[in-house]
Amino acid sequence: MQILGFKDYHNQGKRLAKALAIEYLEVAIHHFPDGESKVTLPNNLDNEVIFCRSMDHPNDKLIELFLACEVARQQGVRHITLVAPYLCYMRQDNAFNPGEAVSQKTIGRWLGQLFDRVITVDPHLHRINDLNQAIPNAEAISLSATTLMAAFLANRPNPPVLLGPDSESEQWVKTIAEQTGLEWQVAGKQRHGDRNVDIMLPDINFKDRIIVIVDDVASTGRTIAQAAKALHQSGAQTVNCLVTHPLFADDAEQVLTNACINHIWSTDSIDHDSNVIQLAPLLAEAIKY
Ligand code: R5P
């Protein structure tokens, strides 16, 4: 078994190979001036390979994985795993208006055709609870970073209050709180558009408290920023945030900085300066099992 990594995620790929004590090889990607991708795989692949690439900026990456899978199969590879700690297109799980594509179903079905096994971390499953419903025809494994997050938070010098910024985040906040004994709360959220959300804090006293906002993903950063602003208005002493997937689209980091967030922490599901938690041990354990 070999890890096939990509330049944009090579540190994580190498760490996973090390945790599994297997060879790391890299897929070469060339982008032509018109935006097309040329994909070149190493030769002499084993019967079983693991592509390790997170699926932020998904459109090019999906095409590149499609091309890479074709070559691997042509080379005789019999079992292909995708390790994508951040899995794209999971949020659009319904047609909310006539004519809308249900991306989760379509992309999930496609991934199930390409790969024998897909492993991800804290996927955004809202209306379904089993990743196999989104990715049929493959072994679909959904891991959670909550235990690693709990270990990280348990080591903070002063015990914070955990705040989930919306009802969907309750699953992660509650699990971390159960593992650490930390106090936890969940806010209410109303989304009016991609970059426009309102946060309603629960009715408790945040004055002089140290808060960690915990969520699965920060995309535009507006959810966390609005929660942080409300917390500061309520007299919180310090507001930090911890997310599994630091997507941080466009101006998200500036938005979070402007909201006076002290520390921005994340897992290395997506490569970013805020990474403080490495997922390799979690992923390796799932692969070994
Ligand atoms: C949504 O329910 C998710 O859990 C996140 O809260 C959301 O995706 C964050 O998006 P943004 O950073 O754009 O507010």
Side-chain angles (χ1 to χ4, degrees), residues 91 124 166 168 189 191 215-223:
R91 279 180 281 180
H124 196 94
D166 54 29
E168 289 169 13
K189 176 164 91 175
R191 185 176 281 285
D215 208 354
D216 58 338
V217 38
S219 178
T220 67
R222 265 54 175 192
T223 297

